[in-house]
Amino acid sequence: MPTTLEAVRPIELAEIREARERIAGTIVRTPLVRLELGPDYPDIRLKLESLQPINAYKLRGATNAVALLPESERKRGVWTISAGNAGQGVAYAAKKAGVPCTVVVIETAPASKIERMKALGARLIPVAYVAWKALEERSFPGVEGAFVHPFDDHNFIAGHATMGLEILEDAPDTTAVIASIGGGGLITGVGSAIKALKPEIRLWGAEPETAAPAALSCALGTPQVFKEWKPSFVDGAGGRSVFPRMWQRMEPLVDGYIVVSLEETKRAMRLMADKARIISEGAGALPLAAALTGKAGQGPIVAIVSGGNIDLKQFSELIGSVAG
């Protein structure tokens, strides 16, 4: 681990365009589809990152970050810490680069994510949620190799930013973009591209009511710990706190935050399944739930469906528990 980290700096448009070329052979240019809800609802389009090869957007950042590691570091193997999607992304990128991968994985991660990481050849080390400490320290006992941070990594974020270019090409009339917030890498990346090209577009972060440190940080003006944090089926978003370095990245880009209930999130999952036949995990449904509150305006709104990695039994139970 380096004694000092690279200072936080903006993601430049040139870096985003270079990342796009770099990862083009690995990621899918995902579709942007209109969600047909009728005249009483906002105009909402869904950016379907759930259709990536790992069924989540993290492949963009992981591919770019692993590709940009010095050869000497990459040969030693790579490792990351993840609740599942970043782990899959790094494992996929590592396999393509022909190097070993270790994932320190949150033990409550869905079985589907764990099985996918194993299938990609990753060595898994299950841990409790205290792995957030390891994320800050960028080290974990018994793990060696090049650490790929799942959100606080400039190259990782630049990979995610490529999504912003696609959104503006496919929906140039967009007035707002909503992204779920876990560590903050997704919204920082997409926001870097959006604000560079069309700064008038409003960027919103979506969080669950059980884990909303970014909204709290915005209200108080400094990065905060969310003391009322509770685990939920929204395992891919909603952290215990906002890392100060990520707050530095997010604050200049994000216009506001929308907190939604777990019931609203389940309703959004059901709506996507019913209207568009899309399977979304909890974190992937947060932006749609936020758009449906009306707080982001009448649109056109792009809601990023960040992932679809959820056990089908759990998915069925969740959408079955809300009224149609």
Side-chain angles (χ1 to χ4, degrees):
M1 172 185 164
T3 53
T4 56
L5 297 174
E6 179 189 20
V8 169
R9 59 185 174 87
I11 310 286
E12 301 293 340
L13 196 53
E15 293 178 284
I16 300 170
R17 288 175 170 149
E18 288 166 8
R20 183 182 199 173
E21 295 297 319
R22 191 176 294 116
I23 69 178
T26 301
I27 66 114
V28 169
R29 191 193 194 287
T30 55
L32 188 69
V33 301
R34 187 189 300 271
L35 188 61
E36 301 291 351
L37 298 176
D40 296 331
Y41 293 87
D43 178 352
I44 300 171
R45 293 93 184 269
L46 305 175
K47 179 61 171 168
L48 298 179
E49 286 296 294
S50 52
L51 298 181
Q52 290 292 352
I54 64 163
N55 303 120
Y57 78 98
K58 290 277 190 178
L59 186 59
R60 292 178 185 265
T63 301
N64 196 49
V66 171
L68 286 172
L69 284 171
E71 183 65 21
S72 57
E73 286 190 40
R74 197 163 55 238
K75 280 183 178 176
R76 294 167 50 224
V78 297
W79 72 281
T80 192
I81 300 168
S82 175
N85 285 340
Q88 288 182 74
V90 174
Y92 193 103
K95 186 175 183 180
K96 189 153 188 176
V99 299
C101 173
T102 298
V103 181
V104 177
V105 63
I106 313 304
E107 60 190 6
T108 54
S112 59
K113 295 183 181 182
I114 290 173
E115 291 307 312
R116 289 286 293 277
M117 285 186 282
K118 286 180 180 175
L120 289 167
R123 176 173 75 105
L124 303 186
I125 302 176
V127 295
Y129 214 83
V130 292
W132 281 88
K133 184 170 182 282
L135 278 171
E136 291 179 327
E137 296 175 351
R138 297 172 184 252
S139 64
F140 193 83
V143 181
E144 296 180 350
F147 178 56
V148 179
H149 201 289
F151 51 85
D152 183 12
D153 179 291
H154 189 89
N155 296 331
F156 211 99
I157 297 170
H160 300 333
T162 60
M163 197 192 311
L165 301 181
E166 295 174 15
I167 288 170
L168 292 181
E169 288 166 358
D170 292 347
D173 57 344
T174 297
T175 61
V177 175
I178 309 177
S180 56
I181 296 181
L186 171 59
I187 198 165
T188 299
V190 172
S192 295
I194 297 287
K195 293 296 187 178
L197 292 167
K198 285 201 171 181
E200 68 274 17
I201 293 176
R202 290 181 66 77
L203 184 67
W204 295 87
E207 293 181 298
E209 61 186 352
T210 50
L216 178 64
S217 300
C218 181
L220 298 179
T222 56
Q224 298 292 316
V225 174
F226 193 77
K227 294 178 181 176
E228 293 80 32
W229 183 91
K230 295 176 185 174
S232 76
F233 65 89
V234 187
D235 57 83
R240 291 177 183 264
S241 64
V242 174
F243 279 31
R245 284 170 57 86
M246 295 309 295
W247 183 247
Q248 277 184 261
R249 302 180 198 273
M250 291 161 59
E251 193 178 24
L253 299 170
V254 184
D255 293 294
Y257 299 86
I258 300 171
V259 178
V260 296
S261 69
L262 295 183
E263 199 65 21
E264 287 172 320
T265 307
K266 286 189 281 187
R267 202 170 295 126
M269 292 168 71
R270 182 184 176 108
L271 192 63
M272 279 190 277
D274 183 38
K275 298 291 186 183
R277 296 300 185 256
I278 294 164
I279 294 175
S280 169
E281 61 188 89
L286 288 175
L288 173 57
L292 291 171
T293 67
K295 293 176 182 177
Q298 290 303 300
I301 301 167
V302 173
I304 298 171
V305 184
S306 56
N309 287 310
I310 184 171
D311 298 334
L312 289 180
K313 181 181 178 183
Q314 184 190 29
F315 179 78
S316 299
E317 290 171 350
L318 289 168
I319 67 169
S321 69
V322 294

